[in-house]
Amino acid sequence: MYDSKVKADGPEERRAVQIDRLERHYLVGRDIEIQYFLQQLTVGGQQGRILNLYGTGGVGKSYLIDEFRRLAVNANAAFLLMDSRGFSHTPQGFCTQLLRMLGYPMEKLQQITDPQALLELCHDILREKALNQKLVLALDTFEDMGDMELWLREALLPQLYPEILILIAGRFPLQGIWLSSPAWRHWIHRMPVGDLDYLSVKQYLERSGISQEPMIKQIWMKTRGHPLTLSLIVSTTMFQNIQGLELVDEIEVFEHILSIWLKEVPDDNLRELVETVALLRHFNQELLSYVLDRQVKTDLFQRLVGLSFIRRVDRGWILHDLMRDAIGYELRLRQPEHYDRLWKRCIMYYYSRMTNPSKRKTITWEAVEWYFYIGDYVVRSLCFQKLTPHLMEPLSPSNWVEAEQYLDNRRINLKEVCLPLLNPETGERFEYILSKEAGLYSIKHIHLRELYELDPGTVKLMRDQQGAIRGLTAIIPIHTGTLDYLLTHPLSSAYFQSLPDHKLKELRVPIEHIAGYFVKSIDVSDFEDEATRTTAGLTFISLLISSDFVVTTGPPDLSFLNEFHLSLGCEQVKNVAHYDYDSNTPTPYYVLDKRGGKLQDYLNKIIASFGLVDHSKQQDDGMEMLSEREKEVVGLLMKGYTNQEIAADLYITEVTVKKHLTAVFRKLNVRNRTQLVNSYMKKT
């Protein structure tokens, strides 16, 4: 760790020193950035290194720059902070401010009017100062420099003495020529500043006098580790609840945070896009255009994804979690019908992808997104909280000991579990309590040797990023080699014994042709951990996507699991239950059966629950004007087929497809494919 002492030169600095000590006391989670700065400042690295510090509004860049200043003072280095908001954005304004900070006499400064002379004077004084002590030149709020960026890159920075450490801070990383030029790219070291992790938040709260674990977890859920939100929530809570320390209503806090973020969004067109992507888990230009029912122009989309609170991920872009929740909640209150329409268009976008036969073999990712939109708040809380869930690996001789240790630890370290869930539609928060006894249910009938010999792929281990085992799943493939086990063993026997002989015959397939899966257990060590919950939830959703037949059951104490399964399209089995957890409590089964071409029926049942229909099969007034062939073309178009795919399916040429579509557009008074799809959306 770095030295935490703050230098004091005299009594007149006493108040400043006290402030610095307090600021440092509450600075958490930035050790990596601080250590790197110290290395460049004291030990030295590459000469001429430029540190590029960037992150979205309220993430703590200013606090980190203040710490860099304190560290520089302790190391007897000069720290020159040039905030773009503190001078006029001209070369003369910049040089004048910098010379003032360097202590150049004002009477002499006023006599210099030539900008080039001012620049040369800056270089001379900086060079002279750098010969005697370490010098840090920090340029803050760099995104507001505007045209000054070119002058800084071409006139000021190249001529600086190489021992001067440059710090460029702002909402965005240096881009453009900074990266396309090999020379500049060589010198730039990127330092992204993100949200705090749970341990850092806990450390901050404990230093603030909040040590109750439930309160810490509640604040963590509300703030998502965003530093400014964390600071405001804590200060407001402590001010208004000096005695009880009960968490206050955070509406005013979030409104303030949003106002800071939305300073980047100057016009209504961009604001509308930000509001729309607040509904979307991931987004790209195609999805955004579909949801808004108009083509989003590329230049506007590029401005959108350039905002500091939006970041690129594997499948497109995402909005900052905290902002997504706040904007989505506000939009739902302000324009509920508009919000509902946008949400339904998200459902239909992924529906069209999933019903396109040419895409079904590569539909896994789209199907995961589909479940996000059709699932209830429990589904989104359990399955979609973390973008990077834990890894799953099959049980094997190499990890057998770890698996046994995991089960032993689960039995020894039983505790009551509180599962906090948020309903974003109402803002209500719920806490489900799982007793110590119920905590054993999911591992009560897990016998590793028995399951491994039944089918080696049955048991999988959930491993976190540090390599620790955080969970275990036992999902039994259904085939001739496992059916007798399922008929006779706890958890599964009641259901499979209830099936008639012809149904069992359908399941008794050769080992290489799996008929479906029985979910014996999805167990985790800590239900309160978001990454662990997400992994468990996505494991189940992935099973629903990959298999046509899934049977599951679950601890009866978790009442919310009923709605969880039903919202995913599973059906509760009537008149069948088992008593294998505690011998007294009936526990239901849930089944998803898409066998025998029932996938389309399943998808249609889901969208029907939202008041939507399969437009490819709908016959309304507009369709009566179309020929039979035109109706066929429209039906395939509604399923998301391309012109080429329509032509192949109907055994006609693409040119003929285009002619039919032109006729359809004319008859239905629409201009393009998007308007055609939307016209049917509105009618339903």
Side-chain angles (χ1 to χ4, degrees):
M1 289 291 292
Y2 60 93
D3 184 5
S4 62
K5 295 180 181 178
V6 181
K7 184 178 180 180
D9 291 331
E12 68 278 3
E13 293 189 11
R14 186 170 301 161
R15 182 62 57 85
V17 170
Q18 291 176 348
I19 292 174
D20 275 349
R21 283 176 178 164
L22 284 173
E23 295 285 7
R24 172 170 286 175
H25 179 68
Y26 289 103
L27 181 64
V28 297
R30 305 301 186 202
D31 287 349
I32 294 176
E33 294 86 351
I34 289 171
Q35 293 289 357
Y36 188 86
F37 178 81
L38 273 174
Q39 178 188 11
Q40 295 298 313
L41 182 69
T42 57
V43 180
Q46 289 181 291
Q47 288 187 341
R49 175 67 84 188
I50 297 175
L51 307 185
N52 180 206
L53 190 74
Y54 63 92
T56 191
V59 82
K61 298 183 297 295
S62 297
Y63 281 93
L64 193 51
I65 291 173
D66 278 346
E67 179 62 8
F68 290 167
R69 173 187 57 78
R70 289 188 285 266
L71 294 171
V73 170
N74 279 356
N76 295 315
F79 191 90
L80 305 174
L81 177 59
M82 294 287 293
D83 193 317
S84 70
R85 296 167 295 186
F87 57 86
S88 60
H89 291 176
T90 64
Q92 187 171 359
F94 182 94
C95 290
T96 299
Q97 177 69 9
L98 182 56
L99 288 168
R100 285 174 180 169
M101 296 179 65
L102 289 168
Y104 192 77
M106 283 298 299
E107 60 274 11
K108 292 184 179 181
L109 188 58
Q110 292 171 354
Q111 297 173 9
I112 305 174
T113 57
D114 179 21
Q116 185 61 32
L118 282 171
L119 177 60
E120 292 176 359
L121 181 58
C122 284
H123 280 137
D124 290 341
I125 296 179
L126 287 171
R127 186 178 300 109
E128 180 181 352
K129 195 171 186 66
L131 289 172
N132 299 316
Q133 69 176 139
K134 191 70 176 181
L135 180 61
V136 181
L137 177 59
L139 309 178
D140 195 13
T141 326
F142 197 73
E143 68 272 11
D144 291 341
M145 288 289 187
D147 294 337
M148 280 291 292
E149 181 178 339
L150 177 64
W151 178 82
L152 289 165
R153 186 174 59 242
E154 297 190 356
L156 178 74
L157 297 181
Q159 301 302 319
L160 289 180
Y161 192 69
E163 288 293 336
I164 298 175
L165 182 60
I166 307 298
L167 173 65
I168 297 179
R171 292 197 175 196
F172 311 101
L174 293 175
Q175 303 177 57
I177 296 178
W178 297 102
L179 296 184
S180 62
S181 165
W184 283 114
R185 188 170 64 244
H186 173 74
W187 299 116
I188 294 171
H189 175 77
R190 289 194 169 196
M191 299 179 70
V193 182
D195 294 332
L196 301 172
D197 59 21
Y198 175 77
L199 292 179
S200 297
V201 170
K202 183 177 181 180
Q203 186 180 25
Y204 178 88
L205 294 176
E206 288 174 345
R207 292 180 181 183
S208 302
I210 299 176
S211 57
Q212 304 94 325
E213 194 69 22
M215 174 73 81
I216 291 174
K217 290 181 177 178
Q218 193 174 356
I219 293 177
W220 162 251
M221 286 183 62
K222 285 178 177 288
T223 65
R224 305 293 180 90
H226 184 253
L228 181 56
T229 309
L230 175 65
S231 175
L232 292 176
I233 286 282
V234 170
S235 62
T236 308
T237 296
M238 296 181 70
F239 177 76
Q240 296 187 14
N241 298 283
I242 296 175
Q243 298 297 326
L245 271 186
E246 295 179 359
L247 200 58
V248 298
D249 187 355
E250 70 277 10
I251 292 178
E252 291 186 7
V253 171
F254 288 136
E255 287 178 348
H256 176 64
I257 299 300
L258 279 179
S259 69
I260 293 175
W261 271 328
L262 291 176
K263 288 179 181 178
E264 293 181 40
V265 189
D267 61 75
D268 292 340
N269 290 331
L270 195 57
R271 181 70 65 90
E272 182 187 21
L273 296 191
V274 171
E275 289 184 344
T276 304
V277 300
L279 278 74
L280 310 179
R281 197 170 100 90
H282 296 84
F283 70 91
N284 54 34
Q285 191 172 356
E286 176 187 311
L287 173 58
L288 195 54
S289 297
Y290 184 96
V291 172
L292 286 171
D293 186 29
R294 69 170 188 273
Q295 186 61 41
V296 176
K297 294 182 178 179
T298 300
D299 60 341
L300 186 60
F301 184 81
Q302 292 299 335
R303 288 173 59 198
L304 171 68
V305 298
L307 298 172
S308 71
F309 44 79
I310 288 176
R311 68 182 175 95
R312 184 79 164 87
V313 292
D314 290 343
R315 297 290 183 174
W317 289 263
I318 60 172
L319 188 65
H320 189 285
D321 286 347
L322 200 64
M323 190 172 189
R324 182 176 65 196
D325 292 347
I327 290 181
Y329 181 72
E330 190 271 339
L331 181 62
R332 189 186 295 108
L333 290 178
R334 180 164 47 87
Q335 293 182 284
E337 291 186 6
H338 175 64
Y339 183 96
D340 184 61
R341 189 177 77 87
L342 294 178
W343 192 272
K344 288 179 178 178
R345 286 193 65 80
C346 293
I347 293 174
M348 292 309 297
Y349 174 82
Y350 288 107
Y351 172 84
S352 68
R353 305 281 292 180
M354 295 176 67
T355 54
N356 187 338
S358 67
K359 300 181 184 300
R360 283 183 185 169
K361 291 183 179 180
T362 58
I363 206 67
T364 300
W365 178 76
E366 286 89 346
V368 171
E369 297 300 292
W370 152 271
Y371 280 108
F372 172 80
Y373 294 105
I374 68 166
D376 63 359
Y377 76 94
V378 178
V379 171
R380 291 190 285 278
S381 294
L382 290 182
C383 309
F384 296 98
Q385 287 297 308
K386 282 287 185 181
L387 289 175
T388 54
H390 299 326
L391 302 175
M392 302 296 294
E393 64 179 51
L395 177 66
S396 67
S398 63
N399 57 31
W400 195 280
V401 173
E402 289 181 281
E404 293 283 10
Q405 289 176 344
Y406 170 81
L407 292 174
D408 289 341
N409 289 335
R410 284 280 286 110
R411 296 184 185 101
I412 294 171
N413 300 315
L414 284 177
K415 64 176 183 177
E416 183 179 87
V417 174
C418 174
L419 179 60
L421 296 176
L422 168 68
N423 186 345
E425 297 178 1
T426 63
E428 293 180 274
R429 298 180 184 274
F430 302 90
E431 290 186 349
Y432 292 93
I433 305 299
L434 184 65
S435 67
K436 290 183 180 181
E437 294 74 17
L440 270 179
Y441 289 165
S442 54
I443 61 171
K444 182 177 180 180
H445 299 288
I446 299 300
H447 307 289
L448 295 182
R449 180 63 62 186
E450 176 183 271
L451 292 172
Y452 186 78
E453 292 176 351
L454 179 68
D455 190 297
T458 294
V459 177
K460 290 184 173 60
L461 306 180
M462 187 186 303
R463 197 181 292 275
D464 67 16
Q465 302 300 319
Q466 288 71 44
I469 303 299
R470 298 297 184 188
L472 177 149
T473 66
I475 301 174
I476 302 174
I478 304 172
H479 50 64
T480 187
T482 61
L483 193 55
D484 290 340
Y485 173 93
L486 294 169
L487 282 163
T488 56
H489 281 68
L491 300 185
S492 59
S493 60
Y495 171 77
F496 286 93
Q497 288 178 12
S498 73
L499 297 177
D501 290 342
H502 72 278
K503 292 290 185 180
L504 290 174
K505 186 177 180 180
E506 293 176 359
L507 299 177
R508 200 176 289 278
V509 299
I511 294 176
E512 60 272 15
H513 299 296
I514 296 172
Y517 292 91
F518 175 73
V519 182
K520 191 177 184 74
S521 176
I522 297 180
D523 180 70
V524 297
S525 59
D526 185 5
F527 239 127
E528 297 175 348
D529 179 69
E530 287 185 345
T532 302
R533 288 206 312 267
T534 298
T535 307
L538 286 181
T539 296
F540 183 68
I541 284 180
S542 298
L543 190 66
L544 297 184
I545 295 169
S546 62
S547 177
D548 287 339
F549 182 62
V550 177
V551 184
T552 185
T553 185
D557 287 42
L558 298 181
S559 58
F560 66 85
L561 285 179
N562 182 60
E563 290 301 321
F564 171 84
H565 288 104
L566 295 181
S567 74
L568 292 175
C570 300
E571 294 184 353
Q572 183 173 339
V573 180
K574 297 180 180 179
N575 304 319
V576 181
H578 70 83
Y579 296 80
D580 297 326
Y581 285 130
D582 62 3
S583 301
N584 296 311
T585 308
T587 304
Y589 291 97
Y590 301 92
V591 173
L592 179 61
D593 189 354
K594 298 179 292 184
R595 295 173 296 170
K598 290 184 282 190
L599 172 61
Q600 187 65 54
D601 293 338
Y602 161 71
L603 297 176
N604 289 343
K605 183 188 76 171
I606 293 294
I607 65 172
S609 68
F610 289 87
L612 301 168
V613 298
D614 181 356
H615 305 294
S616 64
K617 294 181 172 59
Q618 183 186 14
Q619 300 292 322
D620 60 15
D621 294 339
M623 292 294 284
E624 294 176 358
M625 297 184 291
L626 306 184
S627 68
E628 289 304 315
R629 178 62 84 182
E630 287 167 351
K631 290 178 182 179
E632 290 177 332
V633 171
V634 171
L636 294 175
L637 183 148
M638 292 300 175
K639 289 187 175 183
Y641 281 39
T642 64
N643 287 354
Q644 183 180 16
E645 292 166 342
I646 294 174
D649 194 84
L650 298 179
Y651 300 99
I652 58 179
T653 66
E654 282 190 69
V655 173
T656 303
V657 172
K658 292 178 181 178
K659 289 181 179 179
H660 285 313
L661 287 176
T662 299
V664 169
F665 295 160
R666 184 182 68 254
K667 291 179 181 180
L668 300 184
N669 194 28
V670 295
R671 289 181 294 178
N672 52 46
R673 298 166 72 101
T674 302
Q675 285 192 0
L676 176 61
V677 172
N678 187 59
S679 67
Y680 282 89
M681 286 288 293
K682 290 179 179 177
K683 289 172 184 176
T684 59

